[in-house]
Amino acid sequence: MIGGLFIYNHKGEVLISRVYRDDIGRNAVDAFRVNVIHARQQVRSPVTNIARTSFFHVKRSNIWLAAVTKQNVNAAMVFEFLYKMCDVMTAYFGKISEENIKNNFVLIYELLDEILDFGYPQNSETGALKTFITQQGIKSQHQTKEEQSQITSQVTGQIGWRREGIKYRRNELFLDVLESVNLLMSPQGQVLSAHVSGRVVMKSYLSGMPECKFGMNDKIVIDKQGKAGASDEAGKSSGKQSIAIDDCTFHQCVRLSKFDSERSISFIPPDGEYELMRYRTTKDIILPFRVIPLVREVGRTKLEVKVVIKSNFKPSLLAQKIEVRIPTPLNTSGVQVICMKGKAKYKASENAIVWKIKRMAGMKESQISAEIELLPTNDKKKWARPPISMNFEVPFAPSGLKVRYLKVFESKLNYSDHDVIKWVRYIGRSGIYETRC
Amino acid sequence: MPAVSKGDGMRGLAVFISDIRNCKSKEAEIKRINKELANIRSKFKGDKALDGYSKKKYVCKLLFIFLLGHDIDFGHMEAVNLLSSNKYTEKQIGYLFISVLVNSNSELIRLINNAIKNDLSSRNPTFMCLALHCIANVGSREMAEAFAGEIPRILVAGDTMDSVKQSAALCLLRLYKTSPDLVLMGEWTSRVVHLLNDQHMGVVTAAISLITCLSQKNPDEFKTCVSLAVSRLSRIVSSASTDLQDYTYYFVPAPWLSCKLLRLLQCYPPPEDGAVKGRLVECLETILNKAQEPPKSKKVQHSNAKNAILFEAIALIIHYDSEPNLLVRACNQLGQFLQHRETNLRYLALESMCTLASSEFSHEAVKTHIETVINALKTERDVSVRQRAADLLYAMCDRSNAKQIVAEMLSYLETADYSIREEMVLKVAILAEKYAVDYSWYVDTILNLIRIAGDYVSEEVWYRVIQIVINRDDVQGYAAKTVFEALQAPACHENMVKVGGYILGEFGNLIAGDPRSSPLVQFNLLHSKFHLCSVPTRALLLSAYIKFINLFPETKSTIQEVLRCDSQIRNSDVELQQRAVEYLKLSSIASTDVLATVLEEMPPFPERESSILAKLKKKKGPGAVSAGELEEGKREGGEVNGWEVNQQKSEPSQENASSLTTSPSPTPTAMHLSLTSFFFPSSLSQSTPSPSADLLGLRSAAPVSAAPVSAGSLLVDVFSEAGPAASTAGVNDDGFLRFVCKNNGVLFENQLLQIGIKSEYRQNLGRMYLFYGNKTSVQFVSFSTTLKPVDPLVEGGAQVQQVINIECLSDFSDAPLLNIKFRYGGALQNLSLKLPVTINKFFQPTEMSSHDFFQRWKQLSQPQQEAQKIFKANHPMDTEVLKAKLLGLGTALLDNVDPNPENFVCAGVIQTKAQQIGCLLRLEPNAQAQMYRLTLRSSKDTVAKRLCELLSEQF
């Protein structure tokens, strides 16, 4: 289990140090600083083993979070915890920065006491935590005994993520399907690898203890239904649009036994925002953009680059925040860019031409051409031609996932599924979206 | 050097550097650098010509980026352009970039060299200096090729500025160090030497570094520098502290130059010219005198400078090793430092004393400080100083103080630092061995050593003590008693158990009379340690047990019981199991007589170089062992480890054979020679006495006149090669036959006398060295041989040598006889021996082709020219052994002549004064029948017959 947790700033100074177990000594703090933060070579592995002690670290802007252990723990668990902790901190005080951490260190220690106990991760549900760890220390003194006992019973109870007696005038829920699409494409347009990793994030404002059921176009479910009612025309037509999910994980509120037996997703949701599920697909991905590069070397001192991007989705949809990044050789001495749409600029500090387009509708194309002047060098090293990468945001799910229903049942209170206002939004973002040139 | 003017501040650079320093993360830093690089690239690429200032600024930025660890692959051209600038700062930055970043790029190198050449030929001294610094900083072979010819000219030119001369001298030194073959001084030599007379002290200091380096390679060419250096030194030494102005450092005149001069003089022997030498001695005396004066300043720099000169002077005195007066004074001076509160001084004093101790003149003087050194060993806080003290104790040890020093070292060993313990142990072992006056003291010391520092006692040390105990009758009883007592300690080291097991196994009977150490008590004592020991020790103990059975039949049943128990006879270790099984069988089957023969007492070991010494030599003991004084000793481990019953039969002859050359010598200094290696005490082989640096005085004197084969250690190899074939010694006829195929060995041996032979032959001439070794402790009186008069007295344990010259007049078949007469304890002894001179000794090997061989073979086809014999093999048929023997015969072994590769074919010519006799030989082994057919054809029938007779006994 986790033996200790340290937070460092970019200089390697310790901001937060919390040791949970005796096997972690004081020198562990320095060991990580010396061997990872101040290492000569950049340390790329997130897990470092120093003197039989394992350090798991994540970096948020300039802040290092490191979990330390001497035992053989499940690394995935540790990272899950670290990410969760980042979420909790963000929920409490916003961006994780040195200043914020310094200003909130009492709170952070309080949180660390709560979410880790003797190195074992505990409840890290922000909603639940916020009920008893508050930034206004005085407030807790005014809590009545009833409230306190209620919190206790909730935290220790069966449904630890939701407290009882929540009441809303308007029962509302928001469902976001967030996907990031990753691609590596050859210059000729052949897909070398592609996958989508997606998340279903839900924000619920529902009264009482509602029972929810979530349905999507999961291939297995659709096929089963198709078999059950072979004559059902609708089932058949929707079967074409079903997607194959490679693997998925759920929030702790989802009843896994039911998912295993019926593949239905039913749960009592926490109050507020949470991540309902995570999934990954690799088949039949809709690639929102196609990048067509053309690079020509003119002599030793000049390079001509032409890049065409084509949007490949319904013309009625609009892609946003499009950014194409064209790497330039290391001996670039000057760049001239011409583009029809958006703005393009040579960024010397990143050794790339960055082309930004604010909006672009589907089934359109746009192009950029650049002349790159090169300085002759002594080195005979050839330019390795790194791939052209792209960022964007589209209002649909590139995996093809569709929310079919989200039903809410609350037997005790008198509101029905129809009374709940539901919002669904799809956002597809680029992950690592690269085309070789 | 012109000061950097205000306008040259390069604000852009300062801003860039501060930007980098302010970066919060590595990524930010890389971004900033990328931006800057792109900026510089666009500036360099731009059509506008850059002015010198911005060029300098950008080159500076590139340098800074490079020093941060990023690759720079452009900007070289701009840097080269800077070289041709007329501004100092621009040129300087250009040179800086070149010396940091230049790689062997052909076109650039040409440009750079051109720029450097221009600067070298300019009249501006600062530019010349910059160019010279650049050459020296790069110091590549290309640079040397381009400028090695130019720089000496600058160095000696009359109109060159002093500062340039300094730079030129150091630059040349650098080039000489990288590629000595390219720097040819030739014609410049004398002018460079005369730089020692230069007015400017800086030039002299720089030049002397160069001259020292050059004269180390060719001392003869620079011989003239000695007198110049001496006069320069005397001028400095005699000058008042105010004379040299800038070169006076804390009241010491030119300390660096003085040190360098003294070091230069250490490259040469003492000057022959009396006047020069007198002046030098005067200088050295002055330096020693000055050391006695009260310090002119309390500052540490003053004393450091003064002491540096003093130590260098002492090093020179030691190097000359010819001025007893100075040596003793130096020693006294160092003696004062021994108690100085400055740790470094104590260290240096001890170190220098180590070398002083080896000089015959100052050895006594060093010895007077023994108490101080011992005190240093005990109380010094710094471990490195303690180590030096131990070294010095080792170096100053001689017979008079050996006991004291060894005792002190032993007591120090208990508290010594772990890192130096092993070395200390070796030193104690060597000193004990070297200066042992009585062997009981030696045995005591070594046993103590094992007790105190058992872990650090290497194998060699305990092998040695066993060898000495075995070879010395007089200590055996004492050793057995001491070991027995030592073993009674509740916890004793494994090495102690090994020594104990070995010695009790051999000589347990000597103390068995005492009821407190009766056989059974001894056995039980040994066996109580058995279970705690490692496998090799257990194996040794098992051998000790079987020896017990022989020594004390009454223990037989007990020991058999032990051997029979499962933990021995079914031991998982093969070696232990085999020993247990074999010893058990041996003890139950063999009769007492057989047992007694098989388990006879070990024969004395041959005397070789003390393997401990070889070991110490391997670990660099500073000042402890002078290099090259000993030949590489063979590991003696084999002998002791090979202490096994089944080997004993063959061992004695072999061992005895090689021990002849090493019987104790008559000279008193070598009384303990049993410990030393091959030593030829005869006047003939006495090499010139070595300088006293010799550790044991046992310079393994290879005989001056001896042939290459007879170099000491080779002897051993000759014997061990013939090992399995060698038959029991003592019978002369046998001994005679053994010498047919070899030239060196033991001719005869009995309880009193051992006769060894070394011989060499060339054409029809030969020379034979006979060594008569007295094996007893009583002298032989009226010793005489028939050959030549020898010293009639042979001391107990001593050896005398006799040389015989042999000439072969014509072929012969009977060997000359040697009669020896002497009186031993009143009884007249008379010996008659055949000298191993056989006809084949005068063989000259002849190489010939297959065709030639058979042609001659056919020419010698008459029946009387051929002699043939078919005989049974006496020894195993080993091809390599056969080859060695045939080569030892003196003929040439011809390969690829006989169609059957199993057969051996040889050819040779026997040289006599009267005629030359050609001989051809063919040996056909039959491995199945274990038979040989030997055919000899010779132009003379008697020769063929005699050779056939001789050879048939050999295989």
Side-chain angles (χ1 to χ4, degrees):
Chain A
M1 287 305 112
I2 296 169
L5 204 135
F6 307 124
I7 301 180
Y8 303 85
N9 68 2
H10 72 279
K11 288 181 202 151
E13 292 162 350
V14 190
L15 304 177
I16 300 283
S17 152
R18 179 74 173 88
V19 174
Y20 293 95
R21 285 170 176 251
D22 294 337
D23 55 354
I24 302 300
R26 284 272 146 219
N27 49 359
V29 193
D30 300 325
F32 182 76
R33 178 184 39 239
V34 171
N35 290 292
V36 180
I37 302 179
H38 290 166
R40 256 159 201 277
Q41 262 80 40
Q42 204 182 348
V43 175
R44 298 183 69 183
S45 159
V47 183
T48 318
N49 219 310
I50 306 159
R52 292 161 177 251
T53 312
S54 306
F55 294 82
F56 305 78
H57 77 262
V58 295
K59 214 182 159 193
R60 283 291 147 96
S61 60
N62 280 330
I63 298 297
W64 301 73
L65 278 97
V68 192
T69 180
K70 284 215 160 176
Q71 284 161 311
N72 184 14
V73 297
N74 182 346
M77 186 274 285
V78 176
F79 283 110
E80 189 64 40
F81 170 77
L82 285 175
Y83 289 134
K84 207 79 206 179
M85 194 183 142
C86 290
D87 290 346
V88 170
M89 287 199 292
T90 317
Y92 267 93
F93 50 77
K95 190 171 173 276
I96 298 178
S97 68
E98 186 177 348
E99 207 188 343
N100 276 345
I101 287 177
K102 278 181 177 167
N103 289 339
N104 290 291
F105 79 94
V106 178
L107 171 74
I108 294 173
Y109 277 116
E110 217 175 323
L111 285 172
L112 283 174
D113 278 343
E114 195 56 42
I115 58 180
L116 265 185
D117 193 359
F118 195 47
Y120 292 94
Q122 306 293 312
N123 193 351
S124 55
E125 203 56 50
T126 321
L129 284 171
K130 275 189 172 166
T131 59
F132 55 91
I133 299 179
T134 53
Q135 274 164 296
Q136 288 77 33
I138 312 132
K139 197 182 156 192
S140 61
Q141 287 179 355
H142 292 282
Q143 275 178 341
T144 59
K145 278 223 161 132
E146 264 174 50
E147 275 174 325
Q148 282 175 358
S149 66
Q150 203 185 342
I151 291 170
T152 314
S153 68
Q154 182 214 324
V155 171
T156 54
Q158 211 171 11
I159 306 166
W161 56 88
R162 189 178 180 92
R163 69 191 160 92
E164 281 184 61
I166 300 171
K167 279 232 166 76
Y168 287 102
R169 211 164 338 132
R170 228 153 70 119
N171 288 310
E172 222 176 354
L173 65 85
F174 302 86
L175 204 60
D176 286 352
V177 177
L178 306 171
E179 296 196 336
S180 76
V181 52
N182 299 282
L183 169 78
L184 182 63
M185 191 178 254
S186 76
Q188 289 75 34
Q190 197 182 355
V191 176
L192 300 172
S193 80
H195 74 269
V196 171
S197 56
R199 307 190 296 149
V200 178
V201 176
M202 194 167 158
K203 218 183 256 180
S204 64
Y205 302 105
L206 302 170
S207 311
M209 277 291 193
E211 175 81 37
C212 297
K213 211 172 168 193
F214 175 66
M216 54 178 184
N217 55 344
D218 182 1
K219 199 175 180 188
I220 300 171
V221 179
I222 303 286
D223 286 359
K224 216 188 264 174
Q225 286 176 354
K227 264 179 208 163
S231 57
D232 192 347
E233 289 288 315
K236 265 186 186 170
S237 63
S238 65
K240 278 174 192 167
Q241 286 169 12
S242 62
I243 60 159
I245 289 173
D246 284 12
D247 50 38
C248 52
T249 54
F250 294 101
H251 189 264
Q252 57 166 329
C253 65
V254 175
R255 295 194 182 89
L256 291 176
S257 56
K258 258 198 167 157
F259 179 76
D260 288 340
S261 58
E262 301 163 30
R263 217 171 162 88
S264 73
I265 303 163
S266 68
F267 54 96
I268 297 170
D271 198 37
E273 188 177 339
Y274 66 98
E275 186 184 283
L276 179 65
M277 73 178 285
R278 251 185 258 175
Y279 58 91
R280 195 168 64 93
T281 69
T282 49
K283 283 196 193 97
D284 302 325
I285 294 164
I286 309 158
L287 297 173
F289 285 95
R290 170 85 208 278
V291 178
I292 305 158
L294 204 77
V295 180
R296 200 160 67 92
E297 285 176 48
V298 188
R300 274 191 68 197
T301 59
K302 209 170 168 191
L303 202 67
E304 281 181 6
V305 181
K306 203 170 113 181
V307 177
V308 180
I309 56 167
K310 282 184 183 168
S311 55
N312 183 26
F313 45 89
K314 271 188 255 166
S316 58
L317 298 176
L318 270 182
Q320 283 183 309
K321 299 178 190 167
I322 301 154
E323 184 185 285
V324 182
R325 182 176 290 265
I326 305 161
T328 54
L330 291 174
N331 54 347
T332 305
S333 62
V335 179
Q336 270 92 50
V337 205
I338 306 161
C339 58
M340 301 187 301
K341 216 175 166 196
K343 279 181 191 162
K345 206 180 161 191
Y346 167 58
K347 284 204 171 168
S349 59
E350 288 150 48
N351 281 322
I353 298 168
V354 180
W355 178 25
K356 284 182 177 165
I357 304 171
K358 279 196 180 143
R359 246 171 245 105
M360 191 170 174
M363 304 315 271
K364 288 257 169 59
E365 74 171 60
S366 184
Q367 76 163 15
I368 182 174
S369 57
E371 270 186 22
I372 300 171
E373 277 180 84
L374 303 175
L375 190 77
T377 63
N378 310 328
D379 259 0
K380 301 289 179 286
K381 264 187 281 172
K382 204 152 184 303
W383 183 43
R385 289 203 185 187
I388 293 170
S389 61
M390 206 181 160
N391 290 318
F392 53 80
E393 207 178 289
V394 288
F396 62 90
S399 66
L401 181 128
K402 289 258 161 37
V403 177
R404 288 172 60 218
Y405 56 82
L406 194 131
K407 290 172 193 157
V408 181
F409 310 98
E410 169 53 87
S411 45
K412 286 180 192 158
L413 295 171
N414 49 353
Y415 70 92
S416 71
D417 187 33
H418 303 288
D419 302 331
V420 180
I421 308 159
K422 302 169 189 168
W423 307 86
V424 179
R425 178 166 70 158
Y426 297 94
I427 300 174
R429 292 201 179 95
S430 57
I432 297 166
Y433 201 85
E434 292 180 330
T435 309
R436 290 188 180 155
C437 59
Chain B
M1 196 182 288
V4 178
S5 67
K6 258 201 164 165
D8 280 341
M10 292 195 282
R11 219 175 118 15
L13 179 69
V15 169
F16 173 61
I17 292 175
S18 76
D19 276 1
I20 295 275
R21 298 231 164 113
N22 289 335
C23 281
K24 291 232 162 148
S25 64
K26 199 133 199 160
E27 293 77 40
E29 184 185 309
I30 290 170
K31 274 190 172 174
R32 181 70 185 86
I33 286 169
N34 279 338
K35 197 176 149 198
E36 194 59 44
L37 282 175
N39 176 37
I40 298 171
R41 280 195 301 258
S42 68
K43 284 287 184 334
F44 283 173
K45 176 79 179 181
D47 306 324
K48 265 194 302 178
L50 290 172
D51 60 348
Y53 166 75
S54 26
K55 231 183 243 174
K56 179 183 76 175
K57 184 176 75 184
Y58 293 130
V59 167
C60 262
K61 282 183 181 175
L62 286 180
L63 251 177
F64 183 73
I65 293 170
F66 176 77
L67 295 179
L68 283 177
H70 298 262
D71 278 344
I72 297 296
D73 48 8
F74 64 98
H76 299 80
M77 202 58 217
E78 282 71 19
V80 173
N81 286 345
L82 279 179
L83 294 186
S84 52
S85 157
N86 271 327
K87 277 201 182 137
Y88 173 77
T89 49
E90 289 168 19
K91 216 184 245 298
Q92 182 196 27
I93 296 297
Y95 273 124
L96 189 59
F97 188 90
I98 298 296
S99 35
V100 172
L101 261 146
V102 88
N103 45 13
S104 43
N105 181 315
S106 58
E107 53 179 321
L108 271 181
I109 282 285
R110 201 171 44 77
L111 286 171
I112 294 167
N113 284 356
N114 222 2
I116 293 177
K117 244 179 209 138
N118 284 341
D119 278 342
L120 283 184
S121 54
S122 78
R123 299 277 91 199
N124 187 333
T126 47
F127 291 178
M128 286 174 90
C129 280
L130 276 179
L132 287 167
H133 293 170
C134 178
I135 297 171
N137 280 337
V138 175
S140 65
R141 197 165 170 84
E142 290 82 20
M143 283 287 176
E145 271 164 9
F147 300 107
E150 184 92 343
I151 296 168
R153 195 186 52 72
I154 297 173
L155 179 59
V156 297
D159 53 350
T160 316
M161 296 271 291
D162 289 334
S163 59
V164 179
K165 273 190 187 170
Q166 287 181 41
S167 298
L170 294 179
C171 178
L172 196 60
L173 175 63
R174 167 68 207 248
L175 292 186
Y176 183 74
K177 278 180 180 163
T178 44
S179 30
D181 51 318
L182 291 175
V183 180
L184 301 169
M185 292 313 288
E187 50 196 307
W188 309 110
T189 306
S190 66
R191 298 177 70 181
V192 168
V193 169
H194 274 95
L195 284 176
L196 289 180
N197 271 340
D198 201 284
Q199 294 291 315
H200 193 264
M201 293 290 265
V203 176
V204 183
T205 315
I208 201 160
S209 296
L210 174 67
I211 292 169
T212 308
C213 186
L214 288 170
S215 60
Q216 272 160 358
K217 287 278 161 59
N218 349 292
D220 288 343
E221 283 181 43
F222 288 87
K223 224 170 190 162
T224 48
C225 71
V226 174
S227 61
L228 288 177
V230 170
S231 65
R232 178 53 93 170
L233 182 67
S234 85
R235 259 180 288 159
I236 294 171
V237 168
S238 58
S239 70
S241 57
T242 48
D243 288 358
L244 295 164
Q245 288 167 359
D246 286 354
Y247 289 86
T248 301
Y249 177 82
Y250 288 88
F251 308 105
V252 182
W256 281 276
L257 182 54
S258 314
C259 284
K260 283 181 175 180
L261 283 166
L262 288 164
R263 208 166 278 174
L264 172 65
L265 290 172
Q266 282 171 46
C267 303
Y268 290 96
E272 283 140 21
D273 184 353
V276 176
K277 188 166 184 186
R279 216 165 161 198
L280 179 57
V281 169
E282 210 173 282
C283 284
L284 293 172
E285 271 170 353
T286 318
I287 293 171
L288 288 174
N289 286 340
K290 275 192 179 169
Q292 295 294 342
E293 287 170 13
K296 292 200 180 94
S297 157
K298 286 229 157 66
K299 288 263 170 62
V300 68
Q301 288 95 330
H302 171 70
S303 59
N304 275 350
K306 218 164 92 173
N307 290 333
I309 299 175
L310 179 64
F311 275 107
E312 228 29 88
I314 290 174
L316 183 65
I317 293 169
I318 296 170
H319 169 72
Y320 285 166
D321 197 17
S322 59
E323 299 286 333
N325 179 25
L326 285 176
L327 280 166
V328 172
R329 278 196 67 184
C331 183
N332 292 339
Q333 184 59 50
L334 291 175
Q336 291 178 13
F337 285 149
L338 284 182
Q339 280 161 318
H340 205 276
R341 59 189 168 77
E342 191 62 32
T343 311
N344 288 336
L345 268 185
R346 290 200 298 271
Y347 180 95
L348 288 168
L350 287 168
E351 198 179 29
S352 306
M353 272 217 181
C354 265
T355 34
L356 271 178
S358 53
S359 164
E360 52 180 318
F361 299 116
S362 52
H363 187 78
E364 287 305 317
V366 172
K367 268 167 67 181
T368 57
H369 299 290
I370 183 164
E371 292 303 331
T372 323
V373 180
I374 288 172
N375 204 30
L377 191 66
K378 282 177 182 161
T379 58
E380 184 61 54
R381 273 208 309 273
D382 190 315
V383 69
S384 60
V385 181
R386 283 204 299 271
Q387 172 144 25
R388 284 299 141 258
D391 284 344
L392 178 55
L393 275 185
Y394 177 77
M396 67 163 70
C397 188
D398 63 14
R399 182 146 311 111
S400 64
N401 54 17
K403 274 199 175 167
Q404 187 192 4
I405 286 178
V406 168
E408 287 299 340
M409 285 174 100
L410 266 179
S411 69
Y412 170 61
L413 200 55
E414 291 185 58
T415 54
D417 195 77
Y418 292 100
S419 55
I420 60 169
R421 276 198 182 179
E422 189 175 355
E423 200 184 312
M424 289 284 294
V425 165
L426 279 175
K427 284 184 171 161
V428 171
I430 289 173
L431 289 180
E433 190 177 318
K434 195 163 116 187
Y435 298 115
V437 182
D438 63 303
Y439 283 97
S440 50
W441 176 74
Y442 172 72
V443 172
D444 273 347
T445 306
I446 298 295
L447 290 183
N448 250 336
L449 195 64
I450 295 176
R451 208 173 50 225
I452 293 169
D455 286 337
Y456 301 92
V457 173
S458 55
E459 301 276 278
E460 285 86 348
V461 174
W462 75 264
Y463 291 167
R464 199 67 197 140
V465 72
I466 282 175
Q467 284 174 15
I468 283 165
V469 170
I470 300 256
N471 290 7
R472 298 260 131 203
D473 303 340
D474 41 344
V475 283
Q476 286 163 356
Y478 180 77
K481 189 161 155 275
T482 324
V483 183
F484 179 76
E485 279 161 8
L487 280 175
Q488 275 168 330
C492 59
H493 194 268
E494 195 165 334
N495 280 337
M496 184 68 93
V497 179
K498 287 179 186 167
V499 176
Y502 201 110
I503 289 182
L504 290 183
E506 288 291 339
F507 310 113
N509 54 340
L510 299 178
I511 54 166
D514 191 331
R516 280 168 301 175
S517 55
S518 70
L520 221 53
V521 175
Q522 286 184 32
F523 172 73
N524 286 334
L525 183 61
L526 274 183
H527 199 60
S528 68
K529 315 282 181 199
F530 186 87
H531 307 279
L532 304 169
C533 295
S534 64
V535 169
T537 313
R538 287 194 206 184
L540 190 148
L541 284 179
L542 285 181
S543 296
Y545 296 169
I546 188 74
K547 291 231 160 189
F548 266 63
I549 294 186
N550 176 39
L551 289 179
F552 320 113
E554 67 265 34
T555 60
K556 186 169 175 176
S557 57
T558 322
I559 291 172
Q560 278 181 336
E561 200 56 46
V562 168
L563 290 175
R564 202 176 287 130
C565 77
D566 276 357
S567 59
Q568 316 302 347
I569 212 156
R570 299 223 175 111
N571 197 300
S572 60
D573 188 85
V574 179
E575 177 67 31
L576 287 183
Q577 198 185 74
Q578 184 179 357
R579 286 195 190 207
V581 171
E582 284 178 1
Y583 293 165
L584 187 60
K585 273 278 168 257
L586 183 69
S587 63
S588 46
I589 291 172
S591 68
T592 345
D593 290 347
V594 174
L595 263 185
T597 332
V598 173
L599 302 170
E600 204 183 6
E601 199 173 289
M602 282 293 282
F605 285 93
E607 291 300 348
R608 295 191 182 159
E609 174 194 348
S610 166
S611 53
I612 318 176
L613 218 56
K615 169 122 185 198
L616 185 69
K617 212 167 45 178
K618 258 186 258 162
K619 305 169 60 86
K620 50 99 229 184
V625 185
S626 56
E629 75 187 22
L630 297 157
E631 9 175 15
E632 196 59 44
K634 294 197 67 172
R635 283 185 67 87
E636 266 151 299
E639 254 104 357
V640 178
N641 263 349
W643 184 54
E644 292 195 12
V645 173
N646 44 8
Q647 278 188 10
Q648 289 197 336
K649 283 228 154 171
S650 61
E651 259 180 8
S653 57
Q654 187 190 341
E655 303 295 358
N656 295 344
S658 39
S659 62
L660 89 143
T661 44
T662 54
S663 310
S665 88
T667 50
T669 47
M671 214 169 110
H672 304 285
L673 221 116
S674 49
L675 309 171
T676 62
S677 68
F678 296 101
F679 191 96
F680 302 99
S682 74
S683 54
L684 240 179
S685 59
Q686 195 85 49
S687 61
T688 45
S690 53
S692 41
D694 197 343
L695 232 197
L696 295 189
L698 67 107
R699 184 157 299 261
S700 65
V704 184
S705 57
V709 230
S710 55
S713 63
L714 276 177
L715 257 176
V716 184
D717 293 338
V718 172
F719 291 120
S720 44
E721 187 187 309
S727 44
T728 18
V731 186
N732 174 234
D733 217 1
D734 228 303
F736 171 76
L737 280 172
R738 281 196 298 129
F739 282 88
V740 171
C741 292
K742 59 185 187 192
N743 290 336
N744 307 322
V746 175
L747 179 66
F748 173 80
E749 180 165 26
N750 63 10
Q751 285 79 14
L752 306 176
L753 181 71
Q754 186 190 51
I755 303 174
I757 280 188
K758 266 163 57 72
S759 52
E760 51 192 12
Y761 296 92
R762 193 167 299 131
Q763 294 184 329
N764 66 331
L765 298 175
R767 175 174 287 167
M768 185 176 277
Y769 298 85
L770 286 159
F771 300 87
Y772 304 97
N774 184 349
K775 286 175 71 181
T776 66
S777 47
V778 187
Q779 66 178 18
F780 293 158
V781 196
S782 57
F783 189 86
S784 71
T785 69
T786 45
L787 292 166
K788 261 182 168 182
V790 288
D791 193 339
L793 282 183
V794 183
E795 292 293 338
Q799 193 184 48
V800 291
Q801 192 195 28
Q802 198 176 31
V803 187
I804 318 164
N805 288 321
I806 303 162
E807 189 177 6
C808 179
L809 300 170
S810 66
D811 65 299
F812 63 97
S813 53
D814 289 330
L817 277 181
L818 168 69
N819 275 309
I820 303 157
K821 285 184 191 153
F822 60 94
R823 278 181 185 278
Y824 167 67
L828 182 71
Q829 309 282 332
N830 200 338
L831 269 174
S832 184
L833 299 169
K834 273 192 207 170
L835 271 185
V837 182
T838 47
I839 187 77
N840 66 301
K841 297 291 181 200
F842 304 96
F843 253 130
Q844 286 280 103
T846 330
E847 292 288 346
M848 55 179 75
S849 68
S850 173
H851 174 78
D852 286 350
F853 181 84
F854 284 109
Q855 200 177 0
R856 292 194 194 176
W857 185 263
K858 278 180 200 126
Q859 279 169 5
L860 300 170
S861 55
Q862 289 166 37
Q864 69 268 31
Q865 284 175 328
E866 186 185 274
Q868 195 176 61
K869 202 163 182 181
I870 297 169
F871 55 92
K872 234 181 157 54
N874 291 329
H875 304 290
M877 284 184 163
D878 185 330
T879 321
E880 287 315 309
V881 175
L882 283 177
K883 274 189 186 165
K885 282 190 181 171
L886 287 170
L887 282 175
L889 188 66
T891 54
L893 187 60
L894 303 176
D895 286 327
N896 303 324
V897 170
D898 200 287
N900 184 353
E902 298 293 320
N903 295 348
F904 296 94
V905 164
C906 302
V909 177
I910 291 177
Q911 309 266 358
T912 68
K913 198 184 180 193
Q915 63 183 126
Q916 298 191 335
I917 306 155
C919 277
L920 299 173
L921 178 154
R922 195 172 186 199
L923 180 69
E924 296 158 273
N926 182 343
Q928 279 175 333
Q930 291 288 312
M931 301 280 278
Y932 289 102
R933 184 167 72 178
L934 178 70
T935 317
L936 267 154
R937 287 187 180 186
S938 164
S939 51
K940 200 153 186 192
D941 49 352
T942 50
V943 171
K945 278 206 189 72
R946 178 63 185 155
L947 279 175
C948 195
E949 275 169 36
L950 283 173
L951 274 176
S952 61
E953 301 294 323
Q954 293 299 317
F955 299 106

